[in-house]
């Protein structure tokens, strides 16, 4: 039943309800600061005041459900004080109550809680205490009576009190802000809502997320707001965004503001900490794409400022921090994810035109007639057209394919002109039905093909901005290893890789990888797996991105040869795929390429005699090549002479001997039969490996307590394949060098005592060295 507030017998308790009669006409936060009752009211329930509740600093988890005692009293509210002063109340019922979004409901809807109590029907929630009665009670004033809730202790009572208050407030705000009429009133309510969330003693993620979701829904349903109203709302909710991610609809609203008003101070002052928080946290952009889009639009807005990329650079610096090592491990992966998505969006129009297009293998082989395709193809494979074929004259007997790829907003034309010889070369090996690799997907013949992609002005600005960010990221030493690893699979669409402007701008990043001395960085220039091209192939002569006559290619080969312990395998791949470019650069006097050709001869990589003679002619055509080839011939003659003359089978170098001493000793006689060499407790280093590889019969090598390191091990593993016993005790070798020993299949005894061997490397060596019987790993991580 419903009782009028003017009923007779008014009491202090009745007076306490008066302030709530006009709640809908003022900010809802006013309910939490109701007047204090007169001092004489000892029996009535005193309303809770925020100042008193926060003085003890208690924090509570937001309740969603829980067990509590319930008692319902139906009465005119003027009689409540008399009822509460009675010695005994009616019976209490145990209930498991759930605080839903709209009401307080019981898991067992019987007795007092047969019907749920709607938040809209709750007129007031108060802490309750009176003489000669149970403690820890709450009073819920409802029409026609009172619902009493009794908790087990004071903490639970307060937790129920604050949780019910919060649910009731949020429910009312959802109703008030669902049908806005005057935006100045709405803005005032939003500010009050934010203040309520910031001052709530409840500690839960939903405390800040609920107000953001209310505002987000409000904005999604009212899209015709003025720019000033936009900014006022953003400023009002800014305090909640400091420690919370904006919900999806709010991200959409923020993106719109960044696009329409990039120079607004709101972008710098409000959005900056929000984006910083997004980038610093473990973020799955696949599940939260609008957060990524918001970050992307924010960076583009920074780029629209007067200083442009300087502002973006300062933002990147702020994300990295002042020290040499970024303290936030998620910043780089998140920034790279944003960059990749932005670059992908630039080519989205071309990417969408792939539907119904010929397969990559068909494009490569040029073997399918246009009439075999489905009609209206966005990507079409055509026979030669005199209007489109390049005007460059080609000899009829020249085994080259002429192709011109013209790309516009609606279709990609691939024009082919080939003879039978070239066609046979392009076809995959018999029985190989796999798709061609990345480079073959892009162009039929990269050396003589062109692709022209024209982006819209907006897409071009986006591309330039985000490629510049990738350049900035590559300038940080601590970020470069992770960046190289993230870009190793080449996570860009093939349209981007065929775009000359993109590959030219990205070349700076690849150069930074090639210049980095760390193997974990420059090894990422190679493909991520067999059969797939990497940056090394993309920027090599003949690759679609090469525009410098092979300068970058030469630098990449130099750094890879200097650190790659599988030298023969790398040389073999060069001989199979890049022998022509190597010979061309050697003809131009490139020292690295001259060394490569000499190594190919020394390791017998080239089996064809005509090719060997051509390499020799190439080397002899330049001064540096002629000199290196002569040195190679001298080394081979010395090796044959050593093997012919024989010599001792065992040799021990005196303690404290140096690399120079070993060189003099080995040059003084014949050691072609030397099988056992001890350099223990000498001062030799990895430099002596150049002399050790000249001992073809060596089977036992003792390097105990020397300075022989990883570089020497890598060289030994290439040449001394017959080595059976190796002692590396107390040497500075690490996993990087020890892994190279996996190619020395004859090893049966290996001492790695007191080295920097890890457990993983030890397991790897055991798996790859089947003849290994004696191993010493004491005082290592593998022990």
């Amino acid at each position: 039943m419903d009782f009028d507030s003017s009923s007779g017998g008014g009491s202090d308790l009745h007076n306490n309800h008066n302030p709530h009669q006009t709640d809908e006409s003022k900010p809802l936060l006013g309910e939490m600061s109701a007047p204090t009752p007169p001092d004489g009211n000892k029996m009535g329930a005193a309303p809770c005041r925020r100042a008193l509740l926060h003085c003890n600093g208690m924090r509570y988890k937001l309740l969603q459900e829980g067990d509590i005692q319930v008692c319902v009293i139906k009465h005119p509210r003027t009689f409540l004080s008399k009822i509460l002063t009675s010695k005994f109340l009616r019976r209490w019922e145990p209930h498991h109550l759930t605080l839903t979004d709209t009401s307080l409901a019981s898991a067992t809807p019987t007795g007092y809680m047969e019907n749920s109590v709607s938040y809209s029907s709750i007129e007031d929630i108060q802490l309750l205490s009176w003489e000669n009665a149970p403690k820890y009670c709450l009073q819920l004033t409802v029409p026609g009576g009172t619902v009493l809730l009794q908790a087990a202790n004071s903490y639970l009572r307060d937790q129920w009190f604050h949780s019910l208050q919060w649910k009731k407030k949020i429910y009312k705000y959802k109703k008030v802000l669902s049908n806005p009429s005057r935006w100045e009133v709405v803005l005032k309510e939003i500010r009050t809502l934010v203040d309520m969330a910031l001052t709530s003693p409840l500690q839960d993620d939903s405390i800040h997320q609920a107000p953001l979701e209310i505002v987000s829904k409000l904005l999604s349903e009212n899209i015709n707001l003025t720019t000033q109203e936009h900014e006022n709302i953003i400023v009002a909710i800014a305090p909640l965004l400091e420690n919370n991610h904006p919900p999806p609809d709010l991200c959409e609203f923020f993106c719109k503001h960044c696009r329409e008003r990039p120079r607004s101070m709101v972008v710098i002052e409000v959005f900056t900490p929000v984006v910083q928080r997004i980038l610093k946290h473990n973020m799955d952009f696949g599940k939260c794409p609008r957060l990524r889009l918001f970050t992307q639009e924010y960076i583009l807005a920074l780029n629209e400022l007067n200083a442009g990329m300087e502002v973006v650079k300062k933002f990147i610096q702020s994300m990295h921090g002042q020290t040499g090592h970024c303290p936030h491990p998620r910043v780089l992966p998140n920034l790279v994810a944003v960059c990749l998505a932005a670059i992908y969006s630039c080519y989205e129009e071309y990417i969408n035109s792939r539907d119904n297009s010929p397969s990559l293998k068909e494009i490569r082989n040029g073997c399918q007639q246009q009439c075999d395709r489905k009609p209206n193809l966005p990507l079409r494979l055509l026979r030669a057209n005199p209007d489109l074929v390049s005007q460059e004259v080609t000899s009829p007997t020249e085994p080259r394919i002429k192709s011109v790829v013209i790309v516009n907003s609606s279709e990609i034309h691939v024009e082919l002109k080939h003879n039978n010889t070239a066609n046979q070369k392009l076809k995959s090996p018999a029985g190989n039905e796999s798709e061609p690799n990345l480079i073959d997907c892009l162009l039929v013949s990269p050396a003589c093909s062109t692709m022209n992609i024209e982006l819209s002005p907006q897409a071009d600005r986006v591309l330039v901005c985000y490629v510049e960010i990738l350049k900035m990221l590559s300038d940080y030493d601590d970020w470069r290893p992770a960046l190289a690893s993230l870009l190793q699979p080449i996570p860009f669409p093939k349209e981007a890789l065929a775009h000359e402007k993109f590959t030219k701008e990205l070349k700076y990043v690849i150069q930074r990888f090639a210049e980095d001395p760390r193997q974990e960085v420059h090894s990422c220039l190679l493909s991520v797996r067999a059969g797939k091209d990497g940056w090394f192939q993309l920027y090599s002569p003949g690759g679609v991105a090469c525009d410098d006559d092979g300068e970058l290619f030469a630098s990449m080969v130099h750094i890879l040869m200097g650190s790659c312990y599988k030298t023969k395998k790398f040389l073999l791949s060069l001989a199979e795929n890049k022998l022509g470019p190597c010979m061309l650069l050697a003809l131009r006097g490139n020292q690295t390429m001259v060394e490569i050709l000499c190594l190919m001869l020394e390791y017998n990589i080239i089996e064809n005699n005509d090719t060997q003679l051509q390499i020799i002619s190439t080397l002899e055509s330049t001064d540096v090549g002629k000199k290196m080839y002569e040195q190679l011939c001298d080394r081979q003659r010395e090796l044959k002479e050593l093997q012919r003359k024989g010599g001792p089978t065992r040799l021990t170098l005196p303690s404290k001997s140096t690399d120079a001493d070993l060189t003099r000793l080995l040059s003084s006689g014949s050691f072609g039969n030397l099988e056992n060499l001890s350099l223990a407790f000498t001062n030799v280093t990895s430099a002596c490996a150049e002399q050790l590889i000249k001992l073809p019969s060596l089977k036992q090598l003792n390097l105990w307590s020397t300075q022989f390191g990883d570089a020497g091990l890598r060289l030994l593993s290439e040449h001394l394949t017959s080595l059976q016993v190796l002692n590396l005790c107390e040497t500075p070798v690490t996993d990087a060098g020890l892994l190279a020993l996996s190619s020395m299949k004859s090893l049966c005894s290996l001492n790695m005592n007191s080295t920097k061997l890890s457990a993983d490397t030890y397991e790897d060596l055991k798996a790859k060295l089947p003849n290994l019987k004696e191993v010493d790993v004491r005082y290592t991580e593998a022990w």
Side-chain angles (χ1 to χ4, degrees):
M1 67 184 85
D2 189 15
F3 295 90
D4 190 87
S5 61
S6 60
S7 302
S11 66
D12 293 332
L13 182 66
H14 164 68
N15 294 334
N16 289 339
H17 289 273
N18 289 338
H20 301 288
Q21 294 176 0
T22 57
D23 284 340
E24 299 300 332
S25 62
K26 63 180 181 179
L28 298 178
L29 191 61
E31 294 184 13
M32 296 188 66
S33 56
T36 307
D39 295 337
N41 184 10
K42 297 181 180 179
M43 303 301 177
C48 176
R49 291 170 297 169
R50 185 171 60 184
L52 294 176
L53 289 174
H54 286 261
C55 64
N56 58 5
M58 294 291 287
R59 292 293 181 267
Y60 306 92
K61 177 76 174 175
L62 177 64
L63 277 176
Q64 300 297 341
E65 57 182 333
D67 295 321
I68 199 167
Q69 298 287 326
V70 180
C71 181
V72 176
I73 305 171
K74 296 182 179 180
H75 61 88
R77 65 179 63 169
T78 53
F79 298 153
L80 181 59
S81 60
K82 293 182 180 180
I83 296 173
L84 295 181
T85 56
S86 63
K87 189 173 184 178
F88 300 101
L89 288 175
R90 296 182 182 183
R91 61 187 175 87
W92 293 84
E93 293 180 353
H95 281 275
H96 186 82
L97 300 185
T98 301
L99 285 75
T100 67
D101 291 338
T102 59
S103 63
L104 182 65
S106 174
T108 55
T110 58
Y112 292 144
M113 296 302 298
E114 182 177 1
N115 298 316
S116 61
V117 181
S118 172
Y119 297 138
S120 59
S121 66
I122 300 177
E123 299 173 1
D124 194 14
I125 304 172
Q126 298 176 343
L127 297 174
L128 190 62
S129 64
W130 66 95
E131 296 177 358
N132 302 321
K135 299 180 180 179
Y136 317 130
C137 285
L138 294 179
Q139 172 192 333
L140 278 59
T141 304
V142 296
T146 296
V147 178
L148 299 178
L149 304 179
Q150 180 185 343
N153 52 58
S154 61
Y155 183 85
L156 281 176
R157 177 200 61 192
D158 293 344
Q159 189 178 19
W160 276 96
F161 173 77
H162 294 300
S163 299
L164 282 167
Q165 284 274 24
W166 175 259
K167 289 285 187 176
K168 180 175 179 290
K169 301 283 187 184
I170 289 298
Y171 176 74
K172 286 189 177 182
Y173 272 111
K174 286 181 179 178
K175 291 183 62 178
V176 170
L177 296 178
S178 62
N179 296 305
S181 55
R182 297 166 53 197
W183 278 98
E184 59 273 14
V185 176
V186 169
L187 185 61
K188 188 176 181 181
E189 293 291 354
I190 291 175
R191 288 171 179 159
T192 310
L193 173 62
V194 171
D195 185 43
M196 182 186 75
L198 294 175
T199 57
S200 173
L202 293 172
Q203 210 166 30
D204 193 89
D205 292 339
S206 62
I207 299 304
H208 289 170
Q209 282 297 326
L212 289 176
E213 290 173 0
I214 291 174
V215 175
S216 177
K217 183 178 180 181
L218 173 70
L219 294 172
S220 65
E221 295 175 352
N222 298 271
I223 58 176
N224 298 320
L225 299 179
T226 65
T227 302
Q228 190 59 46
E229 289 170 341
H230 275 195
E231 296 198 354
N232 290 340
I233 293 175
I234 293 173
V235 172
I237 63 175
L240 291 179
L241 296 171
E242 292 180 4
N243 297 309
N244 297 273
H245 296 319
D249 289 339
L250 204 56
C251 285
E252 192 83 18
F253 174 69
F254 289 171
C255 290
K256 181 180 179 182
H257 189 79
C258 286
R259 287 190 294 266
E260 295 179 353
R261 297 204 66 192
R263 296 174 179 268
S264 168
M265 289 307 297
V266 167
V267 173
I268 299 294
E269 296 177 357
V270 178
F271 291 167
T272 298
V274 180
V275 174
Q276 288 176 336
R277 174 182 168 80
I278 292 172
L279 293 176
K280 289 179 181 178
H281 284 72
N282 192 0
M283 187 58 58
D284 185 355
F285 284 131
K287 295 181 180 179
C288 310
R290 293 189 184 179
L291 285 177
R292 181 180 59 198
L293 182 60
F294 167 51
T295 306
Q296 178 180 330
E297 294 291 349
Y298 165 80
I299 293 175
L300 291 175
L302 294 185
N303 192 38
E304 292 295 325
L305 300 177
N306 292 334
M309 288 307 301
E310 284 300 316
V311 181
V312 177
K313 185 176 182 179
K314 289 181 180 179
F315 173 73
I316 300 297
Q317 289 174 344
S318 70
M319 295 307 305
H320 179 275
Q322 299 298 321
T323 61
H325 187 79
C326 179
H328 307 289
R330 291 302 308 171
V331 167
L332 178 67
N334 287 338
L335 276 173
V336 172
V338 172
C339 291
L340 295 180
I343 293 172
Y344 184 92
S345 68
C346 297
Y347 300 94
E348 199 163 7
E349 185 178 4
Y350 301 104
I351 293 170
N352 292 337
S353 68
R354 294 181 190 174
D355 297 336
N356 240 356
S357 62
S359 71
L360 301 177
K361 189 174 181 179
E362 291 169 352
I363 294 176
R364 184 191 187 199
N365 295 334
C367 59
Q368 186 165 2
Q369 298 289 343
Q370 182 183 1
C371 59
D372 297 333
R373 304 296 307 165
K374 297 178 182 180
N376 301 322
L377 301 182
L379 175 63
R380 299 185 299 178
L381 179 65
L382 305 176
R383 288 297 178 183
N385 186 329
D387 297 330
L388 295 176
V389 173
S390 171
Q391 299 300 315
E392 181 181 348
V393 178
T394 306
S395 171
T397 60
E398 186 177 358
R400 293 177 63 189
I401 293 181
K402 301 291 301 170
S403 67
V404 178
V405 184
I406 303 174
V407 181
N408 54 41
S409 60
S410 59
E411 57 187 5
I412 303 177
H413 302 273
V414 182
E415 304 295 330
L416 302 177
K417 180 179 180 181
H418 55 82
N419 55 34
N420 293 333
T421 303
N423 191 34
Q424 291 297 324
K425 289 185 178 181
L426 282 174
K427 289 184 179 179
S428 59
N432 182 9
E433 297 299 327
S434 61
E435 290 289 311
N437 59 32
L438 177 63
I439 308 304
D440 295 330
C441 296
L442 290 173
L443 299 170
V444 176
S445 179
C448 54
S449 300
T450 60
M451 181 171 275
N452 179 28
I453 292 180
E454 293 186 6
L455 300 179
S456 65
Q458 176 59 23
D460 191 70
R461 285 193 295 270
V462 173
L463 180 68
V464 171
C465 175
Y466 281 96
V467 174
E468 285 295 324
I469 291 177
L470 289 176
K471 291 181 182 179
M472 296 175 194
L473 300 180
S474 68
D475 286 333
Y476 290 94
D477 289 340
D478 61 317
W479 275 353
R480 202 175 299 129
L483 178 63
S485 177
L486 289 169
L487 297 187
Q488 185 179 14
I490 312 187
F492 301 103
K494 61 183 182 181
E495 287 79 6
L497 299 173
H499 188 197
E500 182 180 358
K501 182 174 183 177
F502 173 74
T503 53
K504 188 174 182 179
E505 292 295 326
L506 192 67
K507 183 179 177 181
Y508 176 86
V509 178
I510 308 305
Q511 283 177 325
R512 297 294 285 161
F513 295 162
E515 294 167 359
D516 196 294
R518 291 168 291 184
Q519 184 178 0
E520 59 181 317
V521 177
H522 56 246
S523 63
C524 292
L525 296 170
L526 299 173
S527 60
V528 70
R529 65 176 183 271
K532 180 177 174 62
D533 288 314
W535 296 113
F536 178 76
Q537 288 82 9
L538 200 65
Y539 280 91
S540 62
V544 293
C546 182
D547 61 351
D548 58 1
D549 295 329
E551 293 180 12
L552 178 58
F553 171 69
S555 64
M556 289 192 290
V557 170
H558 177 76
I559 192 68
L560 289 170
M561 283 297 299
S563 66
C564 185
Y565 63 85
K566 295 182 179 178
T567 309
K568 286 185 179 179
K569 183 177 180 180
F570 184 61
L571 285 174
L572 186 61
S573 67
L574 286 177
E576 291 177 350
N577 303 310
K578 300 297 177 184
L579 183 58
C582 290
M583 293 175 64
L584 177 62
L585 293 174
L587 277 174
R588 296 173 180 174
N590 186 283
Q591 186 170 346
T592 299
M593 292 305 157
V594 171
E595 293 176 0
I596 291 295
L597 294 182
C598 288
L599 288 172
M600 287 181 180
L601 294 176
E602 185 174 359
Y603 293 172
N604 294 321
I605 298 295
I606 306 299
E607 297 180 356
N608 185 280
N609 290 333
D610 291 337
T611 306
Q612 289 181 355
L613 292 174
Q614 186 176 353
I615 291 176
I616 294 171
S617 300
T618 301
L619 291 173
E620 291 180 337
S621 63
T622 61
D623 293 338
V624 63
K626 188 174 182 180
K627 182 178 179 180
M628 287 188 182
Y629 180 63
E630 290 175 353
Q631 292 174 351
L632 170 62
C633 293
D634 291 341
R635 287 199 303 273
Q636 291 180 332
R637 280 194 295 268
E638 290 174 4
L639 182 60
K640 292 179 180 179
E641 187 68 18
L642 281 172
Q643 292 174 331
R644 186 180 65 82
K645 290 182 179 179
T649 59
R650 299 177 65 89
L651 180 66
T652 300
L653 210 64
S655 177
K656 307 300 181 182
S657 298
T658 63
D659 293 332
D661 297 328
L662 178 63
T663 301
R664 282 192 294 270
L665 178 62
L666 294 181
S667 63
S668 63
S670 175
F671 296 93
N673 293 333
L674 186 64
E675 295 181 356
N676 189 320
L677 175 62
S678 176
L679 302 177
F681 306 106
T682 64
N683 294 331
V684 298
T685 66
S686 294
C688 75
E690 292 286 349
Q691 303 300 322
L692 298 179
I693 62 176
K694 298 177 181 178
L695 305 174
S697 301
L698 194 63
K699 295 181 179 178
Q700 301 180 33
L701 178 60
N702 188 348
L703 295 169
W704 188 0
S705 191
T706 64
Q707 294 303 309
F708 198 88
D710 294 339
L713 279 186
R714 285 193 286 265
L715 193 57
L716 292 185
S717 66
E718 288 290 334
H719 295 268
L720 301 182
T721 55
S722 300
L723 199 65
Q724 298 176 1
V725 179
L726 179 60
N727 190 340
L728 299 172
C729 180
E730 298 181 9
T731 58
V733 294
T734 66
D735 287 347
L738 291 170
L739 280 172
L741 299 179
S742 61
S743 62
M744 304 176 74
K745 304 300 182 182
S746 299
L747 274 179
C748 57
S749 178
L750 180 59
N751 189 335
M752 297 176 285
N753 187 321
S754 303
T755 63
K756 296 179 180 179
L757 171 72
S758 69
D760 290 341
T761 299
Y762 176 50
E763 294 298 327
D764 189 60
L765 287 175
K766 286 196 301 183
K768 294 181 179 179
L769 297 176
N771 296 320
L772 195 61
K773 298 177 181 178
E774 298 179 2
V775 184
D776 188 348
V777 293
R778 290 175 295 172
Y779 308 107
T780 67
E781 292 183 9
W783 189 29

